[in-house]
Amino acid sequence: MMPALLPLILGSLCPPPPPVSSGVEPNRDRLIEIVYQLASPEFEGRRGAGGRAAGDYLIGQLQRLGLDPAFGDRFDQEFTAGDRSGRNIAAMLPGADPERTDEWIILSAHYDHLGIRGGRLFPGADDNASGVAMVLEVARCLVDRDERPGRGILFVFFDLEEEALLGSRYFVQHPPVPLDQIRLFVTADMLGRSLAGIAGDALFVMGTEHAPGLRPWVVEAAEGLPLTVGVVGADLLVIDRSDYGPFRQRKVPFLFFSTGESPVYHTPDDVPQTIDFEKLASATTLIGRVVLRSASADTMPAWTSERSPWIGEAVAIRGVFELLLEHQEELGIPGAQRALIRGMLNRISRSIEEGTITPEDRTAMLRVSQLVLFTVL
């Protein structure tokens, strides 16, 4: 799971985009219904027999949408990894452009959670029933459109994300389409709360460091939504924290969306009653817009291994560090960390005043940010 830390005010990246037509209008009541269903005792925290039942539920939803099975004539991909067994679920919406029938966009979320432990149910409403609901609603919206996008879209639900990303690792080893035909991988993990309970309307996006051309698309998709959308590099997290990891390792362009870890992360209190469904609906709209844009664009930004610093990230880090200091007593930030954050704020402010950030300055920001991640949040 991602403790998404550092938001980027997207307006600092480029001039305001032209008005955008949504293309995706999620049904809030439908999002609520899906989250409540997946987080119900019936699915036993979506592990073991409950996970199997959740997979069957997803297959039923995909069939009702009239989507094609992704694995030959099957919607499920059974797999084993050591002593663990799981089942990925996926469907496809073929593209309408005959010249792009071999190009695909993936929209995904993991559907497993922690099960029942010590006799207590871990419902996983935010982690990650919220992400699953988003994928199903975007799929419904795109199926209902009068015109299909040019590229095909794969809607994928990974199992065993909570077990070292075993489901997505297996998927990239046995993909239903060649990996070099995947133009963009999009995934979401936790969309219905806020980072540390203090980040309000923030939604975080990672991955554009490897495809900078995606940043303006995210800017445009965010227009008119009650969200503060932040874009940062996934290297802030040090290790792969969700299903983008196996795709990043194969150099597939990716975007990872999350509202961040909340105080009820991985606890029995992650229940549907406390999900911010308005925020989930807005996040669903934004992600749907990005997916539709990607599936319809003439060309797609390609992977780049070069990660050039961008000043907007410095603006974001400064803003979040200020937010952390504002809530320092509430969060119990130790004195040493407070001093470190203040010192970095001064350094960041100098870079912002100069209008540029060096690779050395970004490395310093990463190190302090990572320390804060692992010692404060």
Side-chain angles (χ1 to χ4, degrees):
M1 283 347 92
M2 183 189 81
L5 177 61
L6 305 170
L8 173 60
I9 304 303
L10 290 177
S12 66
L13 285 173
C14 60
V20 64
S21 172
S22 170
V24 176
E25 297 292 344
N27 184 304
R28 179 179 175 273
D29 290 340
R30 179 66 179 142
L31 291 167
I32 293 173
E33 176 187 340
I34 296 168
V35 171
Y36 268 82
Q37 181 66 43
L38 288 170
S40 69
E42 174 186 353
F43 291 140
E44 301 177 347
R46 301 189 300 283
R47 177 162 293 210
R52 190 82 187 179
D56 291 342
Y57 167 81
L58 293 174
I59 291 173
Q61 295 298 310
L62 297 172
Q63 289 174 328
R64 276 189 280 276
L65 289 174
L67 292 164
D68 297 333
F71 307 105
D73 60 354
R74 298 186 63 86
F75 288 92
D76 56 351
Q77 179 187 53
E78 303 270 5
F79 66 90
T80 58
D83 62 349
R84 301 291 296 157
S85 62
R87 185 169 64 143
N88 295 324
I89 309 296
M92 55 176 55
L93 178 66
D97 186 344
E99 296 183 0
R100 298 177 188 163
T101 55
D102 61 348
E103 297 184 20
W104 296 89
I105 307 298
I106 291 180
L107 176 61
S108 72
H110 79 89
Y111 72 93
D112 64 305
H113 195 53
L114 302 180
I116 297 174
R117 299 184 175 188
R120 300 191 68 186
L121 173 69
F122 285 72
D126 194 31
D127 182 17
N128 187 31
S130 62
V132 171
M134 176 277 296
V135 175
L136 285 175
E137 262 303 275
V138 171
R140 182 192 63 78
C141 291
L142 295 180
V143 167
D144 287 348
R145 283 174 54 85
D146 293 333
E147 183 178 353
R148 279 188 295 151
R151 293 183 181 85
I153 303 172
L154 281 163
F155 302 100
V156 184
F157 304 96
F158 295 114
D159 200 359
L160 298 191
E161 188 270 358
E162 302 284 2
E163 300 281 343
L165 317 181
L166 291 178
S168 53
R169 292 182 191 277
Y170 185 87
F171 185 94
V172 298
Q173 293 169 356
H174 305 86
V177 300
L179 288 181
D180 62 7
Q181 294 180 2
I182 298 172
R183 297 294 178 260
L184 178 65
F185 173 80
V186 180
T187 196
D189 196 350
M190 299 180 292
L191 295 175
R193 301 193 192 280
S194 67
L195 173 65
I198 64 172
D201 60 0
L203 174 69
F204 306 91
V205 188
M206 294 186 172
T208 67
E209 69 272 20
H210 292 299
L214 293 171
R215 290 180 197 154
W217 296 9
V218 176
V219 173
E220 183 175 333
E223 183 182 345
L225 297 175
L227 295 168
T228 298
V229 182
V231 178
V232 292
D235 50 351
L236 285 170
L237 300 181
V238 182
I239 61 173
D240 297 325
R241 296 300 301 274
S242 197
D243 290 312
Y244 65 88
F247 293 86
R248 177 168 69 169
Q249 292 167 11
R250 301 297 184 94
K251 297 185 178 181
V252 176
F254 71 93
L255 291 173
F256 175 37
F257 293 83
S258 179
T259 54
E261 288 184 9
S262 74
V264 299
Y265 168 71
H266 276 195
T267 75
D269 295 325
D270 184 7
V271 296
Q273 290 83 351
T274 52
I275 291 290
D276 184 343
F277 284 103
E278 293 297 337
K279 187 174 186 179
L280 174 56
S282 295
T284 300
T285 300
L286 188 154
I287 295 169
R289 290 175 177 179
V290 172
V291 170
L292 179 58
R293 174 73 175 270
S294 301
S296 305
D298 291 337
T299 59
M300 287 293 296
W303 174 276
T304 176
S305 295
E306 181 181 353
R307 289 173 287 189
S308 301
W310 65 97
I311 194 63
E313 191 174 40
V315 174
I317 292 173
R318 181 177 68 175
V320 173
F321 279 180
E322 289 172 345
L323 182 64
L324 292 175
L325 290 178
E326 180 182 341
H327 294 271
Q328 58 186 288
E329 298 298 334
E330 175 187 345
L331 296 173
I333 301 177
Q337 276 83 349
R338 297 181 193 181
L340 187 65
I341 292 171
R342 291 191 183 99
M344 182 51 63
L345 277 172
N346 292 332
R347 183 170 178 176
I348 293 170
S349 295
R350 288 194 296 270
S351 293
I352 293 172
E353 290 171 3
E354 295 169 359
T356 186
I357 180 169
T358 66
E360 293 76 18
D361 285 339
R362 183 172 190 267
T363 297
M365 289 192 299
L366 285 179
R367 289 174 178 168
V368 172
S369 301
Q370 290 161 354
L371 178 63
V372 171
L373 271 173
F374 292 109
T375 61
V376 175
L377 297 177

